[in-house]
């Protein structure tokens, strides 16, 4: 039988070489193609046991080995559809397109939900890819409607989109660093409609996040609470990190990806400076393991005996590659870190063979005591995205 872990291991060794020994650009592209071919094959084989079901959208693997299923309401509901779209775009395999269409359709009703800031994750990761690939006008309409819904949570006094509505006895207007990721859909909606208000709100949210969430060392607080009366910051907090002052690993990954993307969209130099700063913070941190897969928090209390978070590693790789795409002058350092991260994720240790997951060893929330050291769907989504970005980079350099 085809031993995909063996291929992954061999590819890992090749990647590891590619991070240290110069390989020609054609070889580099071939390495990433081979990994993507392997993941495409895996995703297609998983389809047999993943019939499209609006009540069984895959989120994570439970500790007893069963699938944690969710519905479109969950913040993770767009990732499986998005992964299928990306692999369809790469491979042209019709089975992946059919599955992507079916899983995407379940999320349509979320375009009207005003109770969440996660519309970018839910709608842009599913319908966004669908629209980019098919140019289906119905998909575009969902994206624009979702953006109109999302900006209802924007408060001009604060300058941000409100994240959560729970814990209102503690937080009055909480904004989490993760929320940067929902801005990509707003930037896209300005281009799709010509309406600059989406852009202006996204830009304001990113500027306000830069001023309030970001520490002098470029790391980020998880939660900042604002006073909606005055617009001023009232609390610094965390929800998924080890402590208020610690650096939750996925939060830093959102910080890196979010500001790299905000720079690409706005060309504001302060976003570039922040993205470059947090990239260095993450990759030069004394607690970053040699294989570049971070512990769930850079200040977790029992390092090195703490779970890693593969999802943070995959998001980091995407953020680095967005930075590298921006400017060849500083690309080489970011490519080196991204290659080392992708080499690690290709190792048997991190590859999952349990449908529908590609990777294992992610962390949802240690303080919440859920999804600890398990496969989680958003790690897979960002892994595929990073590989596609890396391949495109190699192929462009090869021309
Ligand atoms: N955005 C939620 C999380 O990163 O867990």
């Amino acid at each position: 039988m085809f031993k995909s872990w063996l291929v992954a291991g061999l590819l890992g060794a090749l990647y590891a070489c590619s991070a240290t020994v110069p390989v020609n650009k054609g070889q580099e592209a071939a390495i990433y193609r081979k990994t993507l071919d392997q993941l495409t094959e895996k995703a297609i084989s998983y389809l047999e046991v993943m019939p499209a079901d609006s009540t069984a959208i895959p989120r994570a693997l439970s500790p007893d080995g069963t699938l944690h299923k969710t519905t479109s309401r969950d913040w993770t509901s767009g990732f499986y559809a998005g992964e299928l779209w990306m692999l369809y775009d790469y491979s042209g395999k019709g089975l992946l397109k059919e599955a992507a269409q079916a899983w995407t359709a379940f999320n349509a009703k979320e375009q009207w939900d005003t109770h969440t800031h996660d519309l970018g994750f839910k709608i842009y990761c599913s319908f966004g890819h669908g629209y980019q690939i098919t140019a289906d006008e119905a998909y575009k309409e969902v994206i624009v409607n979702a953006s109109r819904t999302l900006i209802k949570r924007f408060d001009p006094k604060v300058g941000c989109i409100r994240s959560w509505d729970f814990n209102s006895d503690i937080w009055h207007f909480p904004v989490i660093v993760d929320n940067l990721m929902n801005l990509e859909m707003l930037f896209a909606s300005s281009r799709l409609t010509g309406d600059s208000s989406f852009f202006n709100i996204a830009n304001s949210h990113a500027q306000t996040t830069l001023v309030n969430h970001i520490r002098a060392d470029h790391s980020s607080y998880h939660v900042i609470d604002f006073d909606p009366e005055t617009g001023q910051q009232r609390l610094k907090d965390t929800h998924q990190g080890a402590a208020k002052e610690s650096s939750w690993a996925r939060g830093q990954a959102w910080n890196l990806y979010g500001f790299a993307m905000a720079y690409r969209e706005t060309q504001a130099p302060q976003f570039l400076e922040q993205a470059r700063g947090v990239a260095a913070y993450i990759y030069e941190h004394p607690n970053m393991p040699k294989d570049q897969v971070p512990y769930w928090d850079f200040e977790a209390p029992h390092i090195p005996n703490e779970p890693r978070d593969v999802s943070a590693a995959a998001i980091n790789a995407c953020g680095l590659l967005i930075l590298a795409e921006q400017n060849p002058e500083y690309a080489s350092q970011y490519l080196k870190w991204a290659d080392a991260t992708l080499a690690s994720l290709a190792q048997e240790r991190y590859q999952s063979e349990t449908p529908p997951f590609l990777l294992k060893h992610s962390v949802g929330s240690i303080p919440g005591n859920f999804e600890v050291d398990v496969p989680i769907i958003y790690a897979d989504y960002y892994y595929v995205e990073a590989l596609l970005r890396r391949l495109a980079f190699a192929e462009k350099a090869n021309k």
Side-chain angles (χ1 to χ4, degrees):
M1 205 195 123
F2 176 64
K3 288 267 188 255
S4 53
W5 58 263
L6 180 63
V7 176
L10 289 170
L11 286 169
L14 271 170
Y15 284 156
C17 289
S18 78
T20 50
V21 179
V23 291
N24 81 44
K25 301 292 176 191
Q27 280 173 318
E28 213 172 65
I31 290 170
Y32 291 104
R33 280 204 164 276
K34 192 147 192 194
T35 307
L36 283 158
D37 287 345
Q38 178 204 336
L39 295 180
T40 301
E41 192 175 316
K42 204 189 239 189
I44 290 175
S45 74
Y46 285 165
L47 290 179
E48 280 174 31
V49 289
M50 292 296 298
D53 179 347
S54 65
T55 65
I57 299 175
R59 175 171 164 143
L61 210 60
S62 302
D64 66 1
T66 57
L67 185 61
H68 175 182
K69 302 165 182 172
T70 189
T71 65
S72 64
R73 267 188 89 78
D74 191 80
W75 80 274
T76 64
S77 61
F79 292 119
Y80 186 49
E83 176 200 317
L84 295 172
W85 277 121
M86 287 189 277
L87 289 174
Y88 162 65
D89 196 30
Y90 168 73
S91 68
K93 303 278 186 191
L95 277 175
L96 290 170
K97 183 181 185 186
E98 280 165 33
Q101 284 170 320
W103 289 98
T104 294
F106 300 144
N107 275 19
K109 62 178 180 292
E110 300 307 317
Q111 67 190 294
W112 310 116
D113 185 3
T114 54
H115 297 101
T116 177
H117 72 129
D118 284 324
L119 283 178
F121 285 123
K122 295 183 204 184
I123 298 292
Y124 204 59
C125 294
S126 53
F127 284 87
H129 285 291
Y131 180 63
Q132 281 157 23
I133 293 164
T134 65
D136 183 334
E137 285 293 307
Y139 284 178
K140 173 174 155 183
E141 207 180 308
V142 173
I143 294 164
V144 174
N145 285 336
S147 294
R148 291 206 177 97
T149 304
L150 179 57
I151 62 174
K152 290 188 180 147
R153 295 179 71 82
F154 179 73
D155 184 330
K157 211 179 258 175
V158 174
C160 274
I161 293 163
R162 182 183 178 122
S163 292
W164 293 326
D165 297 337
F166 63 90
N167 265 0
S168 57
D169 49 334
I170 301 170
W171 303 322
H172 298 177
F173 191 104
V175 179
I176 62 174
V177 67
D178 324 26
N179 203 344
L180 286 170
M181 299 298 287
N182 294 302
L183 306 181
E184 189 170 12
M185 181 173 74
L186 298 183
F187 287 123
S189 291
S190 261
R191 279 194 300 277
L192 292 173
T193 59
D195 180 349
S196 60
S197 56
F198 298 117
F199 178 99
N200 293 338
I201 286 173
N203 188 39
S204 164
H205 185 105
Q207 298 283 1
T208 308
T209 303
L210 183 63
V211 171
N212 287 277
H213 288 68
I214 303 304
R215 305 178 179 118
D217 61 7
H218 298 283
S219 70
S220 172
Y221 288 97
H222 183 202
V223 185
I224 294 292
D225 190 47
F226 294 90
D227 181 342
E229 302 299 322
T230 63
Q232 296 302 302
Q233 184 187 129
R234 55 178 294 277
L235 282 179
K236 296 176 167 78
D237 208 347
T238 191
H239 192 54
Q240 283 156 272
K244 283 178 198 180
E245 294 296 331
S246 75
S247 289
W248 173 47
R250 196 163 54 258
Q252 306 322 312
W254 297 140
N255 173 359
L256 168 55
Y257 189 128
F259 280 108
M261 177 272 296
Y263 171 65
R264 184 191 68 208
E265 298 292 336
T266 62
Q267 296 295 299
Q270 61 273 39
F271 295 160
L272 175 62
E273 195 194 328
Q274 169 54 22
R276 298 191 67 183
V278 69
Y281 173 88
I282 292 169
Y283 281 88
E284 290 167 357
H285 198 289
N287 287 342
M288 178 60 127
K290 280 207 168 50
D291 72 357
Q292 322 282 29
V293 178
Y295 298 102
W296 67 278
D297 190 303
F298 284 94
E299 282 94 37
H302 305 297
I303 289 173
N305 301 314
E306 293 280 357
R308 308 290 194 91
D309 182 10
V310 157
S311 77
I315 299 160
N316 286 338
C318 291
L320 292 170
L321 291 165
I322 296 171
L323 271 179
E325 286 155 14
Q326 297 304 301
N327 195 331
E329 252 177 63
Y330 50 67
S332 66
Q333 177 61 75
Y334 301 133
L335 288 177
K336 206 168 147 196
W337 284 331
D339 285 350
T341 306
L342 291 174
S344 293
L345 297 183
Q347 302 288 321
E348 183 192 352
R349 172 178 180 193
Y350 293 118
Q351 293 280 313
S352 167
E353 302 295 332
T354 308
F357 300 104
L358 307 176
L359 295 174
K360 55 190 177 188
H361 298 306
S362 289
V363 167
S365 174
I366 296 250
N369 195 24
F370 63 85
E371 294 165 350
V372 178
D373 197 16
V374 292
I376 303 183
I377 198 68
Y378 43 86
D380 297 350
Y381 173 94
Y382 289 105
Y383 180 45
V384 172
E385 176 181 324
L387 286 165
L388 288 173
R389 286 188 183 281
R390 188 61 187 86
L391 175 64
F393 206 96
E395 288 184 335
K396 198 168 152 209
N398 205 19
K399 278 187 185 148

